[in-house]
Amino acid sequence: MELYADVIVDISHEKLDKSFQYRVPERLKSKIQVGMTVKIPFGKTNREMTGYVVNLTGQASICADRIKEILDINERAESIEAKMMGLAAWIRSQYGSTMNQALKTVLPVKAKVQEKQKKTIRLLLSAESAQEYLTEAKRKHYAARVRILEALLASESKTLDYSEALRELQITSATLKPLLKEHIVAVDCDRVYRGGFQQMESADRKRQTSNVQQRMVIEGILEEFRTNGRPCLIHGVTGSGKTLVYMELIQSVLEQGKQVIVLIPEIALTYQTVRRFYEYFGNQVSILHSRLSQGERYDQMQQAREGRVKVMIGPRSALFTPFPDLGMIIIDEEHENSYKSENMPRYHAREVAIQRGKMERAQVVLGSATPSVDSYCKAKNGEYALFSMTQRYENRPLPKVEIVDLREELKAGNRSMISEPLAKAMQQRLQRGEQIMLFLNRRGYAGFVSCRSCGYVAKCPHCDVSMSLHNHGKLVCHYCGYETNAYQQCPSCGSPYIGGFKAGTQQIEKMVKSMFPKSRVLRMDFDTTRKKEGHTEILEAFNRREADILIGTQMIVKGHDFPNVTLVGVLAADLSLNDVDFRSGERTFQLLTQAVGRAGRGAVPGEAFIQTYQPGHYSIQAAVSQDYEAFYEEEISYRTLMKYPPASAMMAVFGGSTDEQLLEQGMKYIGEYISRLDKKNVLQVIGPAPESVSRVQDIYRRVIYIKHEDRNLLTALKDKLEEYIEMNSGFSNIHIQFDFHI
Ligand code: ADP
Ligand code: ZN
Ligand code: ZN
């Protein structure tokens, strides 16, 4: 059978769709793969060019005898472009997407924005001749020329900023013309690299020195790289000083002439964190963040490729920085959800980092105070090397944590969001002039139903996850589609206080202000951070102690270091506990531990209150005792029992369509096709069921979950489904996406 390769020759973003088809000669058929670099004859003259294979097919797209043959393949990817191609091919095969989508993910966008130029006017004459010229100009009443020359002579560098000069001296470019012509002045253009933090002074560089605990981890990781080369997981309690560990590791990689990528959740990418890296590395560091324009991002990537920048810090997408000789990838707060892409291809940055590390011989270092269950499981299996930091820097104590049982509060008649004990503690801190953080554990999802008298939560009897309340008055499970009527009374205790949870940060702010009228309050949520720098402004103001109390959602608990905060109140710990998915227990433990960890990072010891309706839940118990191991043991046994990842691999097939009936049909066909393929009946297939948000902007959504211990089997199944969907025109109005949980 003939084999054809779609080859692209220009990998700039806009040209990705322009591929050319070539025949694969017999001798290359067994070797060729998507993502490889090939030599091809191109154009009328058959000039030899390098191209990249983006697809392989048995079907010729044009008349077969007009198709030319591939000359050769390059098996060793050497250029950075070829490496990124290979990575895109891997992403495509692992997560399910087109090669085009994968390429758009890994390649920087070459936006057609004008490069910013910095222009300067420079005096070409000696001071003496310029003085002569000035006298002459004055005599001839050339007022504009006089202004320029006087300004140039007054300037120490004998230069002026072009646009400033035009504005302030009130001259036009026409005035400059004769001066340029007579070689009195010149105008120089320098390309300016755009980028957020570029201007930061590196003058007052401070370097901390690592302590024994930090040095042990650094040595251990460098040793691991010299020997087995496994990914390294640092489990370090909050405040143990992981940042300095990262910085010294980076330093040692830079000394080898290599470059480093550091991933940080966008939300923690604050001035504060960034400043620490700048203080250590100066202008070798560059920051990518979502507020940069496309042009600015492209510049940053260009600087990395050319070696002017050696450390790239940023969220998920920084992973694709085209460093020529990548030595290390660090992922801080590796448990964060934001490392998982929610768009096609739905890749996980941790997995892609490990793959890139393998392909480019770069070491991968993961760090967290609350590692993901997935990573910790791998560390326990020996797939990752594990390093622990159990002490806070300078042996500062971890905060003392107290639990407040909200059921008792309700019984005592207190229905406010702030319990008695927390209110008392707040009063005390305000008197002492210490700072307080109040954390409302809330995400976009509402939906779950719980009893405020006894803590009962409505869960699916089959899947053991919270069910969510739908508009039509039913409780629905989003894994299997199980439905039941919503309750008027708690089935467990009969209380009428059963329902959804509704309070927001604004209500809390109001309440705090009425309880403590003299306190200065800052609120940080979606509303107050919508402005471009809103996020940073609030954190900076709090850091400068311009407020006593900071109220916020999850964005306030990630990675910030406020030494004067001695009290943290978690207002409703249960909110994330009842998220409608199997990771809710894990996420709750992580959030609570991170939140509690904000207290007492400075000299004064900290204290935290966790308010909850379910004080007995293991996630909450473990967060109170700050015992990761205890949490992990409980969680992994739940996952094993229910066959959730990492005990089993799990693939979701999401379907979306404006036509509800068509979608239902299509998803049913997919379900049936899966059972036809699964002859030995080894897969666990759940659904199709409505997604947790079953209709968004008039697009209906359904999902099928498939579980099996072997990830590779699910990947193979995905390949089959992709073929099936492509071949059946019935799916043309259904949008299908794959999503892997591992
Ligand atoms: P983590 O990220 O592990 O929660 P950080 O890296 O933010 O902790 O460190 C906590 C605090 O301890 C920071 O204020 C940091 O400046 C300080 N610190 C950590 N290690 C050192 C060190 N070796 N010398 C001086 N200060 C340190
Ligand atoms: Zn009840
Ligand atoms: Zn269910």
Side-chain angles (χ1 to χ4, degrees):
M1 206 185 85
E2 291 288 0
L3 184 64
Y4 301 96
D6 296 323
V7 174
I8 53 174
V9 288
D10 182 345
I11 55 167
S12 61
H13 242 259
E14 314 72 49
K15 303 276 177 61
L16 282 180
D17 297 311
K18 188 122 188 73
S19 66
F20 302 91
Q21 207 165 53
Y22 286 84
R23 191 191 323 279
V24 182
E26 203 55 46
R27 70 194 155 89
L28 298 180
K29 272 186 187 169
S30 59
K31 283 199 247 167
I32 197 159
Q33 276 175 25
V34 171
M36 275 184 172
T37 315
V38 288
K39 275 202 199 105
I40 45 164
F42 193 76
K44 286 207 185 83
T45 58
N46 285 334
R47 166 163 64 100
E48 196 179 297
M49 279 186 71
T50 298
Y52 304 93
V53 179
V54 292
N55 190 34
L56 291 168
T57 168
Q59 300 272 304
S61 59
I62 54 168
C63 177
D65 44 68
R66 278 175 50 211
I67 299 182
K68 298 176 205 172
E69 223 169 61
I70 288 178
L71 302 174
D72 208 351
I73 58 179
N74 225 340
E75 278 171 273
R76 287 197 27 224
E78 270 157 22
S79 71
I80 180 65
E81 283 77 16
K83 287 177 193 164
M84 297 312 275
M85 256 321 138
L87 191 62
W90 183 85
I91 288 175
R92 183 199 65 105
S93 74
Q94 285 296 299
Y95 301 100
S97 71
T98 63
M99 186 63 183
N100 238 312
Q101 286 169 320
L103 283 172
K104 285 186 173 153
T105 305
V106 307
L107 299 173
V109 182
K110 191 176 186 174
K112 287 198 188 73
V113 275
Q114 244 201 324
E115 278 163 9
K116 263 196 203 155
Q117 303 225 297
K118 182 175 159 54
K119 286 204 219 168
T120 33
I121 304 170
R122 181 161 48 93
L123 182 65
L124 291 174
L125 303 177
S126 68
E128 219 170 284
S129 330
Q131 199 60 54
E132 270 169 40
Y133 188 90
L134 180 63
T135 320
E136 182 70 8
K138 274 182 179 161
R139 200 178 57 79
K140 291 183 180 164
H141 300 288
Y142 288 154
R145 289 192 209 180
V146 170
R147 287 202 294 279
I148 295 177
L149 275 153
E150 282 180 339
L152 276 170
L153 282 166
S155 129
E156 201 174 320
S157 59
K158 304 287 176 269
T159 59
L160 297 173
D161 182 89
Y162 182 87
S163 42
E164 246 171 57
L166 259 56
R167 197 174 53 239
E168 281 169 21
L169 304 175
Q170 298 190 335
I171 53 175
T172 62
S173 52
T175 320
L176 278 175
K177 263 199 194 130
L179 292 174
L180 284 166
K181 222 166 153 194
E182 293 169 42
H183 299 286
I184 312 294
V185 300
V187 173
D188 303 324
C189 300
D190 280 316
R191 197 169 150 198
V192 180
Y193 284 100
R194 289 161 285 222
F197 294 85
Q198 218 71 326
Q199 306 85 335
M200 193 183 274
E201 297 283 319
S202 58
D204 61 334
R205 278 210 211 167
K206 281 176 279 181
R207 283 200 182 182
Q208 299 167 334
T209 29
S210 46
N211 63 19
V212 175
Q213 181 178 249
Q214 287 164 327
R215 267 197 302 280
M216 296 264 287
V217 173
I218 293 163
E219 288 306 318
I221 289 175
L222 293 176
E223 177 61 21
E224 175 64 31
F225 194 41
R226 284 190 292 266
T227 53
N228 306 310
R230 291 175 295 173
C232 297
L233 173 65
I234 306 174
H235 174 208
V237 297
T238 55
S240 57
K242 292 184 286 296
T243 315
L244 188 62
V245 170
Y246 301 147
M247 291 194 295
E248 294 199 357
L249 285 170
I250 295 169
Q251 181 60 28
S252 87
V253 175
L254 293 184
E255 279 163 13
Q256 296 165 37
K258 298 185 178 201
Q259 304 90 36
V260 183
I261 293 170
V262 184
L263 301 189
I264 288 182
E266 174 88 36
I267 226 169
L269 204 58
T270 56
Y271 190 77
Q272 206 183 26
T273 328
V274 167
R275 157 154 234 133
R276 290 176 71 181
F277 280 93
Y278 267 107
E279 279 171 356
Y280 203 106
F281 298 107
N283 283 333
Q284 299 178 93
V285 173
S286 191
I287 317 290
L288 275 184
H289 53 83
S290 62
R291 287 185 301 271
L292 294 180
S293 71
Q294 269 193 356
E296 287 169 332
R297 289 180 73 84
Y298 188 75
D299 279 351
Q300 310 262 82
M301 292 299 191
Q302 210 50 33
Q303 282 185 289
R305 181 193 303 264
E306 289 162 12
R308 271 193 297 270
V309 157
K310 298 187 175 69
V311 183
M312 185 65 87
I313 303 180
R316 197 172 67 219
S317 59
L319 186 53
F320 304 111
T321 305
F323 278 130
D325 197 359
L326 182 66
M328 184 177 279
I329 304 173
I330 294 170
I331 306 185
D332 188 29
E333 313 278 355
E334 66 86 33
H335 62 276
E336 276 289 321
N337 284 332
S338 60
Y339 290 130
K340 172 85 189 289
S341 168
E342 292 301 327
N343 303 314
M344 288 277 263
R346 295 179 171 232
Y347 69 93
H348 197 298
R350 198 194 306 133
E351 292 180 297
V352 177
I354 290 171
Q355 180 62 20
R356 186 167 179 195
K358 250 188 222 153
M359 292 165 81
E360 301 183 32
R361 293 190 44 75
Q363 187 170 23
V364 176
V365 176
L366 313 170
S368 174
T370 52
S372 62
V373 171
D374 296 346
S375 293
Y376 203 71
C377 179
K378 290 203 168 81
K380 288 213 144 187
N381 292 339
E383 206 176 311
Y384 297 171
L386 181 64
F387 298 89
S388 300
M389 294 168 75
T390 53
Q391 299 299 316
R392 274 189 162 182
Y393 174 65
E394 281 187 333
N395 289 326
R396 284 170 192 159
L398 283 163
K400 187 171 134 246
V401 187
E402 274 173 55
I403 228 168
V404 180
D405 188 340
L406 288 174
R407 298 170 305 183
E408 297 298 322
E409 285 282 307
L410 187 71
K411 268 189 209 153
N414 181 10
R415 287 161 80 182
S416 124
M417 286 286 300
I418 294 172
S419 64
E420 277 296 320
L422 176 57
K424 246 185 227 148
M426 287 173 71
Q427 182 70 53
Q428 202 184 49
R429 305 293 152 153
L430 289 172
Q431 270 161 11
R432 297 213 301 246
E434 294 164 11
Q435 286 178 298
I436 300 164
M437 286 168 88
L438 293 182
F439 165 47
L440 180 65
N441 187 6
R442 185 189 171 99
R443 291 205 307 177
Y445 304 157
F448 77 93
V449 160
S450 69
C451 170
R452 289 178 64 188
S453 301
C454 76
Y456 169 87
V457 176
K459 289 199 164 188
C460 171
H462 309 294
C463 305
D464 201 21
V465 297
S466 304
M467 293 195 288
S468 73
L469 187 60
H470 277 227
N471 296 338
H472 58 286
K474 297 232 188 246
L475 290 169
V476 182
C477 168
H478 295 298
Y479 283 113
C480 70
Y482 172 85
E483 275 191 11
T484 180
N485 286 327
Y487 308 112
Q488 304 304 317
Q489 284 184 338
C490 171
S492 171
C493 76
S495 158
Y497 294 118
I498 184 161
F501 184 93
K502 287 187 194 77
T505 41
Q506 252 166 318
Q507 279 131 298
I508 293 165
E509 183 184 21
K510 239 166 94 187
M511 179 179 301
V512 168
K513 279 182 173 158
S514 73
M515 286 169 86
F516 308 103
K518 283 201 210 111
S519 65
R520 298 165 303 164
V521 183
L522 273 174
R523 172 167 62 91
M524 188 158 139
D525 56 20
F526 186 70
D527 280 339
T528 56
T529 57
R530 211 174 305 162
K531 244 181 26 197
K532 206 174 177 200
E533 299 295 335
H535 190 229
T536 317
E537 267 171 33
I538 295 171
L539 293 173
E540 284 294 298
F542 191 60
N543 198 29
R544 289 191 302 265
R545 303 175 67 162
E546 285 165 20
D548 309 302
I549 304 171
L550 176 63
I551 300 168
T553 50
Q554 302 188 3
M555 36 180 118
I556 66 171
V557 300
K558 317 265 167 142
H560 308 305
D561 193 23
F562 301 115
N564 194 47
V565 170
T566 57
L567 176 66
V568 168
V570 179
L571 295 184
D574 311 49
L575 286 186
S576 62
L577 198 54
N578 300 319
D579 273 353
V580 291
D581 81 80
F582 72 89
R583 286 191 220 268
S584 62
E586 173 177 358
R587 206 152 40 229
T588 303
F589 172 75
Q590 285 160 348
L591 279 167
L592 297 184
T593 310
Q594 300 278 348
V596 163
R598 294 312 107 205
R601 292 167 75 89
V604 187
E607 191 180 13
F609 287 81
I610 297 179
Q611 304 189 155
T612 174
Y613 293 102
Q614 298 173 69
H617 192 286
Y618 65 83
S619 291
I620 292 179
Q621 289 285 325
V624 170
S625 52
Q626 300 179 60
D627 186 347
Y628 181 87
E629 282 291 330
F631 158 75
Y632 177 80
E633 290 305 329
E634 285 284 343
E635 186 67 18
I636 197 77
S637 62
Y638 158 70
R639 305 275 178 99
T640 308
L641 184 72
M642 300 302 294
K643 291 197 164 49
Y644 286 127
S648 237
M650 182 157 119
M651 174 173 79
V653 184
F654 293 113
S657 177
T658 48
D659 184 338
E660 193 175 17
Q661 252 178 338
L662 182 78
L663 176 65
E664 230 156 74
Q665 267 301 326
M667 293 305 277
K668 209 179 107 212
Y669 282 143
I670 291 180
E672 287 167 2
Y673 183 64
I674 294 171
S675 40
R676 279 207 299 282
L677 288 175
D678 183 24
K679 288 191 196 78
K680 288 192 209 130
N681 214 4
V682 294
L683 299 176
Q684 199 183 345
V685 183
I686 317 163
E691 259 188 79
S692 51
V693 185
S694 64
R695 195 174 71 167
V696 180
Q697 293 170 344
D698 287 322
I699 304 211
Y700 294 89
R701 313 208 298 188
R702 294 279 184 285
V703 58
I704 299 176
Y705 289 96
I706 306 130
K707 296 192 250 184
H708 191 270
E709 291 97 70
D710 185 359
R711 157 82 186 249
N712 294 329
L713 207 115
L714 294 184
T715 315
L717 176 66
K718 176 219 62 177
D719 292 345
K720 288 266 185 226
L721 287 174
E722 277 183 325
E723 269 172 41
Y724 176 73
I725 289 158
E726 199 181 310
M727 271 163 34
N728 286 282
S729 55
F731 287 105
S732 54
N733 287 318
I734 304 177
H735 186 56
I736 301 283
Q737 295 198 357
F738 297 94
D739 190 13
F740 282 87
H741 292 274
I742 25 64

